Amino acid sequence: MADHHVGNLVLTDLVKRYENTDPAARPAVDGVSLDVEAGEFLTLLGPSGCGKTTTLRMVAGFETPTSGTISLDGADMLRLPPNKRPMAMVFQSYALFPHLSVFENVAYGLRIDRVRRARLEEAVEIALTSMNLTGLGERFPHQLSGGQQQRVALARAMVVQPSVLLFDEPLSNLDAKFREQMRREIRLLQRRMGITSLYVTHDQAEAMSLSDRIVVMNAGRVEQVATPAEVYTRPASVFVGNFVGRASFLPVSGVVVRGGRGGVSVFGKEVEVAADPGVGSSGVVMVRPESVVVSPVFEQGCGVVRSAVYLGAGVDYEVETDQGTVLASVGDPDVGGLLEEGTKVGLEVDASRVYLLPRGGGGGGCLASCWCSPPLAEPGPRCAIVSMPCPHLSRR
Amino acid sequence: MSVLHRVRSKPALTLSLVVVTAVLGVGLLFPVSQVLLTAFSPEGLAAVESLVGSSADREVVGNTVVLGLCVAAVGTALAFLFAFVQTRLDVPFKRVLHVVAVVPVVSPPFALATALVVLFGRNGVISQGVFGVPYDIYGLDGLTIALALSFFPVVYLTLVGMMRRLDPSLDEAATSLGAGRAKVFLTVTLPMLLPGLASGFLLLFVEAIADLANPLVLGGDFTVLSSRAYIAITGEYDVASGAVFSLSLMVPAVLVFLLQRYWIDRRKVFSVTGKPTGRPQTYRGPVAMTAYALAVVVALLIVLVYATIGYGAVTAVPGVNNTFTLAHFDFVLFGIGSEAMVDTTVLAVVAAPLAGLLGVLIAYLVVRKLPRVGPLLDFVAMLGIAVPGTVLGIGFVLAFRSENLVGGVTVIPSLVGGAAVLGGSVGIVVVLLIRGTPAAVRAGVGSLHQIHPSIDEASASLGADDSTTFRRITLPLIRPALLAGLTFAIARSMTTLSPIVFLTTPDTKIMAAQILAEVDAGRFGNAFAYCCVLMAIVLALIGLVRLAVRDRAVRPLVVLPAAEMPVVEPALVGAVKE
Ligand SMILES: Nc1ncnc2c1ncn2[C@@H]1O[C@H](COP(=O)(O)OP(=O)(O)O)[C@@H](O)[C@H]1O
Ligand SMILES: [Mg+2]
């Protein structure tokens, strides 16, 4: 069944409005359209409550869409009950059958398909081996660690060779170390078997490391569908840039965008940066902290260090500038040379790493505050232009 | 989606809905509606008039209410006393006290009452024999003792459960804030138990006023509504009056049921700290010792009563001619009486598994499949026990004495009376089914709520349809509930009297009804032998069920595979990103 040419999953204008909810409010899923290519690993990423699980459950058949269509290789899925859809789901809670042994859990789907005994045993053994569960077949779920339980859940879903695998935050119950290992294993296995996968998570690192493409969702809508690199470097909106990784957003105006590039002023320097086609005369410049260079010398733009957090592998500085608060991440710091709070510093940015976005979505104002909560809590003052003598500017 | 489409896409669901609706409709709603119709017919209204007009009948109503209140008060107090001793005192023989307190659950309805008559009646072994006082236990006092002892165990078990679940750290918190033991008890423990005590009180009230067996044996001149209805039907052949009397029982019963469901159940206090940590502090001192002494006295009384039953079963005429004899057992086991033993057992063995399965099926539909009509279905199923047995029995007489025809075609043949199919056994099985289902529904709903819905979804996602999922996943997982429901249904089917007494025919004899006849005729020895045999059969059946449905693998009780992680807010995620 695992034909590598099947598994093209298409969602069109999917809307889900839960019964018993305010009809005036936005639906839980509000017009989602996706085209998951055969064999692709696609991740739905977004904050909790944005409709990821609902979308996934509609695909699985556990929820009925209010409107829209779901098709798999051209066949209408909405006509089929969940058990007739050639998909298998891996649950956040694992949902192992507590009264069945590991072997019987994995064999469950094959027994439903009435697979012959010899073939069934072989398939289960292969699945257990591939998930490093050899020798655990006789155990019961409660005799396994969380990680082992999750492997059983994976083996159970993969062994039926579905056309589409559905994952709902399968790693969120594991501890951080183990999560990374499982990520790699899931990715390897999925690549090897070439099964189309739709994966839901709110963890951007998970989405980045697993996916061929990421769908960033917000309030029931799709904000962007792109590769992890694109989502990170060229987010479609402030929301996306904000949710995926950390960034400072500096409002700019009087911009002229031509041919996908725009001239803007960043830290007192005129630079030409890549721009979203939707940017008008004013926009927002996204600066990732790792592309900011902080130096005690005032050759370029300037600001005042408001906080310095030593992280071992690097230092995070919060620098207040004329354009707002900027987060800068300096790698491999020299412990003796940490800049103290209140120090005046120069800032520089690699223009090729800066991206110009339309202003909408962030609500203007204190855009730079996305990555740390205190500025959000006290609006206004932090965003005020810092008026301080700037030697560099006055020299010019 | 059209109805037809739904039916076609979910045949198993549709079929089970049809079955459940049919059983509840035919076995419960139809007969009860017949009682209502009769009560509001001209004859019924005349009976209402005479009920209101006659001072004797008004007294019957008064008696019923007084009896209900007395039993509820005494029974709740007993239940609380035993639960307190069990969970909060550090005293010897607690295990024995527990077993003694639970024994009345499996005993037939007459056992206690008859034994009390033998011990404390006009010629009582104790009252006359030991103290030489001509004490007369018939009436309110005897009824209160018999009913309270019969029904308090269920309330006791609930309270023990509640008190065990109370988090001891709450007591400790109050103590550390300076409250003394008594103060802690009054301000922390008692308020948390109030819902349990209140619902226990209501339950006992309803059970007491609905009971038929004890008033028939112990009532004497103290007539209550249930016995009045019984006399109206069986003695005066006045079905309309019977309907009216029994219906006036149903009003408080259903009111209490509603109150319980929609008020008390919503007010249950849960300690939200999760797993109880530590052990509750135990009480000492004179108050604790008084409680213990009281509990021991009551336990001794219960032991005495059951000893009397055993003794009476092998004694020629208990209290009068105390020679040893096996004649009573011979009568019950091998004589004419054995017919009732076999019939009762066969009917229970047929009805109880059906009740267990039906209850679990209803629970499954209610919890998993029917989010909207589920509560209504649950409600109707629970009416099976909320409706007094007298009402159900009279309803069956009204509804099924003659065959039911629709357009000249027999839809339901006669189930009650001389012409009933299979000697009325079908009707009896249906009644037992209706009476046994509610406990299984409750047990099933409780355990289904513990199983995460994703378990069902995982099964569906692996290709299993609803009926396969139910058979291979749900049913094994709720096996403990099924077992509990089955056990309860067996006990109830074997010992129930009030609806069945209206349905027995010469062809189908029921032990409970036979015991009544023997007691009426003054042949206490036979009655006691019946009681012993009945209890033995109940215990044997329950043991068999446990053997057959024994768990193969050791499994934790909690069926949630893993704790659902709280979803981390994106704002926080941003703050802690690697
Ligand atoms: N069964 C339900 N009934 C009503 N509203 C629901 C239900 N399930 C989810 N929702 C709502 O729909 C929205 C999307 O939920 P969900 O898909 O679970 O989000 P996510 O998985 O992205 O966290 C949320 O606002 C949630 O409160
Ligand atoms: Mg979710």
Side-chain angles (χ1 to χ4, degrees):
Chain A
M1 225 190 3
D3 189 329
H4 291 203
H5 304 290
V6 302
N8 176 220
L9 178 69
V10 180
L11 321 187
T12 320
D13 289 330
L14 218 48
V15 174
K16 175 67 183 182
R17 188 185 287 284
Y18 280 105
E19 288 152 39
N20 313 328
T21 55
D22 180 8
R26 260 209 189 177
V29 171
D30 193 6
V32 166
S33 298
L34 291 175
D35 186 338
V36 194
E37 288 162 26
E40 188 182 22
F41 198 115
L42 190 79
T43 298
L44 304 182
L45 173 69
S48 97
C50 72
K52 310 180 293 289
T53 297
T54 305
T55 308
L56 195 75
R57 289 171 57 81
M58 286 192 283
V59 174
F62 299 129
E63 302 287 353
T64 313
T66 310
S67 66
T69 64
I70 299 172
S71 70
L72 181 63
D73 299 321
D76 179 9
M77 285 294 112
L78 294 181
R79 301 164 57 92
L80 299 177
N83 54 313
K84 294 278 190 284
R85 300 189 187 187
M87 310 178 184
M89 184 149 164
V90 180
F91 294 82
Q92 179 173 22
S93 56
Y94 314 150
L96 297 181
F97 306 127
H99 61 301
L100 298 181
S101 66
V102 166
F103 184 95
E104 283 304 323
N105 260 283
V106 177
Y108 187 82
L110 298 174
R111 291 207 193 280
I112 301 288
D113 289 345
R114 299 191 191 291
V115 172
R116 290 255 181 73
R117 188 152 156 220
R119 225 174 70 61
L120 177 140
E121 282 178 4
E122 190 194 337
V124 173
E125 282 312 327
I126 291 176
L128 290 178
T129 309
S130 73
M131 291 311 306
N132 289 330
L133 291 165
T134 330
L136 299 182
E138 297 307 307
R139 295 236 194 131
F140 281 84
H142 68 270
Q143 299 168 318
L144 301 179
S145 71
Q148 287 169 331
Q149 290 185 17
Q150 187 52 278
R151 285 158 195 271
V152 176
L154 268 170
R156 184 178 69 177
M158 290 204 176
V159 80
V160 295
Q161 307 202 321
S163 302
V164 180
L165 271 173
L166 306 171
F167 299 86
D168 189 1
E169 312 229 9
L171 305 184
S172 61
N173 283 352
L174 298 178
D175 49 56
K177 259 256 155 61
F178 205 77
R179 213 177 316 181
E180 278 177 40
Q181 188 190 333
M182 283 299 291
R183 259 186 225 162
R184 277 193 294 277
E185 288 185 24
I186 291 180
R187 188 65 182 129
L188 274 174
L189 210 66
Q190 191 268 342
R191 283 264 161 82
R192 209 170 65 218
M193 303 192 56
I195 304 177
T196 308
S197 298
L198 192 56
Y199 190 100
V200 160
T201 182
H202 67 264
D203 179 342
Q204 48 109 10
E206 207 168 293
M208 294 285 226
S209 59
L210 281 168
S211 320
D212 292 318
R213 284 190 300 160
I214 295 176
V215 179
V216 184
M217 290 183 65
N218 180 24
R221 299 207 175 139
V222 172
E223 292 266 336
Q224 184 172 19
V225 186
T227 63
E230 257 178 288
V231 167
Y232 191 74
T233 56
R234 295 166 158 258
S237 62
V238 172
F239 174 85
V240 175
N242 206 341
F243 192 77
V244 180
R246 300 178 303 172
S248 314
F249 295 90
L250 313 174
V252 290
S253 48
V255 190
V256 183
V257 178
R258 206 174 296 119
R261 302 190 68 79
V264 292
S265 160
V266 182
F267 306 145
K269 188 177 165 189
E270 295 297 328
V271 288
E272 203 187 63
V273 299
D276 186 282
V279 176
S281 65
S282 68
V284 177
V285 171
M286 180 188 78
V287 182
R288 294 288 183 193
E290 64 273 12
S291 49
V292 178
V293 179
V294 184
S295 62
V297 194
F298 304 99
E299 286 189 3
Q300 292 298 327
C302 65
V304 180
V305 174
R306 283 295 167 216
S307 78
V309 179
Y310 180 66
L311 298 168
V315 183
D316 278 357
Y317 290 114
E318 212 181 306
V319 182
E320 213 162 283
T321 73
D322 288 8
Q323 283 175 300
T325 309
V326 173
L327 182 69
S329 174
V330 177
D332 202 12
D334 177 359
V335 177
L338 283 188
L339 299 170
E340 289 192 7
E341 286 166 28
T343 318
K344 283 180 195 163
V345 292
L347 295 172
E348 207 171 338
V349 71
D350 178 356
S352 69
R353 314 291 299 272
V354 173
Y355 192 59
L356 180 58
L357 287 165
R359 200 169 257 208
C366 192
L367 292 167
S369 61
C370 58
W371 43 269
C372 57
S373 27
L376 265 183
E378 37 179 293
R382 286 267 174 166
C383 304
I385 303 295
V386 187
S387 44
M388 58 175 186
C390 192
H392 164 68
L393 287 181
S394 53
R395 213 192 306 153
R396 236 203 328 197
Chain B
M1 249 195 288
S2 74
V3 173
L4 205 67
H5 182 79
R6 272 196 211 186
V7 168
R8 229 181 285 133
S9 70
K10 305 202 158 169
L13 179 65
T14 312
L15 180 70
S16 42
L17 250 181
V18 168
V19 169
V20 166
T21 314
V23 172
L24 293 179
V26 172
L28 178 61
L29 296 180
F30 180 49
V32 170
S33 68
Q34 289 301 307
V35 179
L36 285 169
L37 283 179
T38 309
F40 289 106
S41 70
E43 291 162 54
L45 291 176
V48 172
E49 225 164 89
S50 76
L51 175 85
V52 177
S54 123
S55 65
D57 285 339
R58 275 206 305 270
E59 198 188 312
V60 169
V61 175
N63 285 348
T64 309
V65 173
V66 169
L67 176 65
L69 291 176
C70 286
V71 171
V74 174
T76 311
L78 279 182
F80 177 72
L81 176 71
F82 273 79
F84 178 76
V85 169
Q86 201 59 229
T87 58
R88 292 295 188 275
L89 294 193
D90 191 13
V91 288
F93 303 117
K94 275 191 347 188
R95 205 54 229 162
V96 178
L97 279 182
H98 177 74
V99 173
V100 171
V102 178
V103 164
V105 171
V106 289
S107 78
F110 298 103
L112 270 164
T114 316
L116 284 175
V117 168
V118 168
L119 289 172
F120 303 104
R122 282 166 200 136
N123 294 313
V125 175
I126 290 188
S127 53
Q128 188 67 275
V130 178
F131 296 108
V133 282
Y135 175 65
D136 182 0
I137 197 169
Y138 296 90
L140 180 62
D141 41 2
L143 275 177
T144 302
I145 298 172
L147 287 168
L149 286 182
S150 305
F151 297 130
F152 93 92
V154 177
V155 181
Y156 159 72
L157 288 175
T158 333
L159 285 180
V160 165
M162 280 185 94
M163 290 177 82
R164 289 238 163 90
R165 275 199 305 276
L166 285 186
D167 191 342
S169 59
L170 290 174
D171 282 17
E172 289 163 10
T175 312
S176 77
L177 292 172
R181 304 295 291 140
K183 186 102 185 163
V184 170
F185 184 79
L186 289 177
T187 56
V188 178
T189 313
L190 206 54
M192 306 255 276
L193 292 179
L194 264 187
L197 291 171
S199 68
F201 188 91
L202 293 178
L203 180 86
L204 287 168
F205 181 83
V206 169
E207 293 261 19
I209 64 171
D211 187 70
L212 175 61
N214 289 290
L216 287 182
V217 175
L218 270 177
D221 299 334
F222 190 84
T223 310
V224 290
L225 279 168
S226 59
S227 50
R228 186 72 193 79
Y230 177 73
I231 293 163
I233 298 269
T234 58
E236 303 163 0
Y237 301 103
D238 181 356
V239 179
S241 296
V244 168
F245 286 129
S246 69
L247 208 59
S248 42
L249 276 179
M250 189 166 112
V251 174
V254 171
L255 274 184
V256 163
F257 171 62
L258 290 174
L259 203 64
Q260 171 98 27
R261 225 180 131 85
Y262 296 104
W263 189 63
I264 292 183
D265 281 0
R266 306 247 155 114
R267 241 153 256 258
K268 277 202 179 122
V269 184
F270 290 106
S271 44
V272 288
T273 41
K275 267 199 188 134
T277 49
R279 292 157 49 87
Q281 287 168 329
T282 49
Y283 289 76
R284 284 163 213 284
V287 177
M289 281 309 113
T290 313
Y292 184 50
L294 265 176
V296 169
V297 168
V298 175
L300 284 176
L301 178 63
I302 296 175
V303 170
L304 182 65
V305 162
Y306 283 90
T308 308
I309 296 169
Y311 170 77
V314 292
T315 308
V317 184
V320 178
N321 175 1
N322 291 335
T323 39
F324 177 81
T325 174
L326 287 176
H328 307 312
F329 275 113
D330 188 52
F331 168 78
V332 170
L333 291 174
F334 311 106
I336 331 168
S338 64
E339 225 178 289
M341 180 183 74
V342 174
D343 286 357
T344 311
T345 311
V346 168
L347 292 176
V349 164
V350 172
L354 289 178
L357 267 180
L358 184 71
V360 166
L361 182 62
I362 291 176
Y364 180 69
L365 293 176
V366 166
V367 176
R368 287 286 197 266
K369 291 293 159 195
L370 304 169
R372 256 171 296 171
V373 285
L376 179 69
L377 180 61
D378 190 8
F379 178 83
V380 172
M382 292 313 290
L383 277 182
I385 204 66
V387 169
T390 327
V391 175
L392 197 58
I394 294 174
F396 258 70
V397 171
L398 290 170
F400 301 119
R401 180 146 42 200
S402 46
E403 50 189 358
N404 281 277
L405 307 172
V406 173
V409 182
T410 307
V411 181
I412 308 167
S414 167
L415 298 178
V416 180
V421 283
L422 296 177
S425 52
V426 173
I428 293 176
V429 166
V430 174
V431 166
L432 296 178
L433 183 59
I434 294 293
R435 294 298 261 183
T437 302
V441 171
R442 284 275 69 79
V445 165
S447 79
L448 277 172
H449 275 309
Q450 284 198 318
I451 303 173
H452 200 277
S454 66
I455 298 258
D456 285 23
E457 290 173 357
S459 174
S461 151
L462 292 167
D465 55 24
D466 281 353
S467 56
T468 309
T469 303
F470 182 72
R471 240 179 333 105
R472 298 176 66 158
I473 304 298
T474 315
L475 218 45
L477 283 180
I478 58 175
R479 200 162 45 172
L482 188 61
L483 190 72
L486 200 56
T487 308
F488 197 83
I490 288 174
R492 214 171 239 284
S493 300
M494 293 291 296
T495 59
T496 193
L497 173 81
S498 54
I500 303 296
V501 77
F502 298 96
L503 306 188
T504 51
T505 65
D507 293 334
T508 314
K509 295 211 174 85
I510 292 296
M511 280 209 254
Q514 291 311 108
I515 299 176
L516 176 62
E518 296 299 319
V519 172
D520 260 357
R523 294 189 292 265
F524 286 173
N526 285 347
F528 286 141
Y530 263 126
C531 289
C532 291
V533 169
L534 190 51
M535 278 190 277
I537 295 175
V538 170
L539 292 178
L541 285 179
I542 291 174
L544 271 181
V545 167
R546 287 190 185 257
L547 260 180
V549 203
R550 199 170 42 188
D551 276 332
R552 276 157 310 185
V554 198
R555 204 179 324 134
L557 256 174
V558 179
V559 194
L560 285 176
E564 288 265 31
M565 276 270 288
V567 184
V568 184
E569 288 299 319
L572 297 176
V573 175
V576 295
K577 268 175 201 165
E578 306 101 314

